[in-house]
Amino acid sequence: KVHGIHGLEFRAIYVEESKKRFNHLSDYLGKSCPAGIECHALHGDYSVLQDKILGLCGEESFAFFFVDPKGWLDVGVPKLTKLLKRPKSEFLITFMYDFLNSAIGMSDYRYQISQMLGNLEEKDYRQLDQLTPTARAEWVVHKYRDQLKSVMGSDGNFPSRAFHADVLHKSKERVHYHLVYLTRHH
């Protein structure tokens, strides 16, 4: 373990699925990992590597997870479950709303949508169709946050909590993605 500032230990775990980007990342970390930080590069799908990631995190330490996928399917609640259940953890998840929003009305994507928002009924889809773009984005991100919190659970007396920030599309006046923050800390 590496001791950083004031005796704190820092460990950074990077996961990259693309072999080419993983090789670049691994080379970079080998040469440029900051002093006082133990860096690990893992190759593969983070959802498959969760046991290894959790092992590197240890059981007693605080962990902060930043999950930044290329699309929206990689942050489905079932894929995050093992990480979400870890005590003493907080999360920042890039929720690619714009991509998910495009798929909501397509019946071929109902299963994938349920992985993000839970099981929606026909009345939910009809309601979504009637909402303004802003109200629709709020409804979807709150539903996603609720799904994450239900899996994350509480930490003793403190329930899980979620917040989000809207990130607008650079050339369109609408939400492109959300940054979703999860914690159990009061």
Side-chain angles (χ1 to χ4, degrees):
K1 293 186 176 181
V2 178
H3 291 281
I5 302 169
H6 306 293
L8 296 175
E9 298 173 5
F10 294 91
R11 183 174 296 144
I13 304 163
Y14 301 86
V15 181
E16 177 54 59
E17 192 167 5
S18 159
K19 183 66 174 167
K20 182 178 178 181
R21 288 193 301 265
F22 169 77
N23 289 338
H24 181 72
L25 171 66
S26 186
D27 182 55
Y28 174 80
L29 291 175
K31 296 175 186 173
S32 304
C33 184
I37 298 177
E38 181 182 315
C39 292
H40 298 269
L42 303 178
H43 178 243
D45 179 341
Y46 86 92
S47 65
V48 174
L49 295 170
Q50 287 184 54
D51 290 329
K52 185 164 184 131
I53 294 167
L54 291 170
L56 287 168
C57 290
E59 293 183 21
E60 297 299 318
S61 61
F62 170 77
F64 179 80
F65 296 99
F66 175 45
V67 184
D68 188 26
K70 285 194 115 180
W72 59 280
L73 297 172
D74 289 331
V75 291
V77 177
K79 283 193 168 197
L80 290 164
T81 295
K82 281 186 179 180
L83 299 179
L84 289 170
K85 289 188 176 289
R86 185 191 185 277
K88 299 180 184 176
S89 299
E90 294 183 0
F91 298 82
L92 185 62
I93 301 168
T94 303
F95 177 53
M96 299 299 291
Y97 169 76
D98 203 32
F99 296 131
L100 179 138
N101 185 45
S102 298
I104 283 179
M106 299 178 195
S107 59
D108 291 347
Y109 285 97
R110 292 281 171 103
Y111 174 76
Q112 292 88 340
I113 298 296
S114 73
Q115 299 294 290
M116 306 296 289
L117 308 178
N119 292 322
L120 301 181
E121 298 177 12
E122 287 304 318
K123 68 179 177 79
D124 296 316
Y125 287 104
R126 285 192 302 272
Q127 178 186 359
L128 281 169
D129 285 341
Q130 302 301 315
L131 296 175
T132 65
T134 301
R136 181 177 170 121
E138 282 296 308
W139 189 95
V140 168
V141 75
H142 278 91
K143 188 76 167 162
Y144 180 62
R145 286 172 36 182
D146 289 345
Q147 297 302 309
L148 293 168
K149 290 187 309 183
S150 70
V151 171
M152 188 177 192
S154 65
D155 186 17
N157 295 327
F158 303 110
S160 56
R161 302 184 323 162
F163 308 91
H164 73 275
D166 299 342
V167 179
L168 300 178
H169 194 284
K170 65 182 177 183
S171 61
K172 302 172 186 170
E173 291 189 29
R174 68 172 190 235
V175 174
H176 184 53
Y177 64 92
H178 302 278
L179 289 175
V180 177
Y181 176 72
L182 293 159
T183 185
R184 293 180 191 96
H185 192 276
H186 60 283

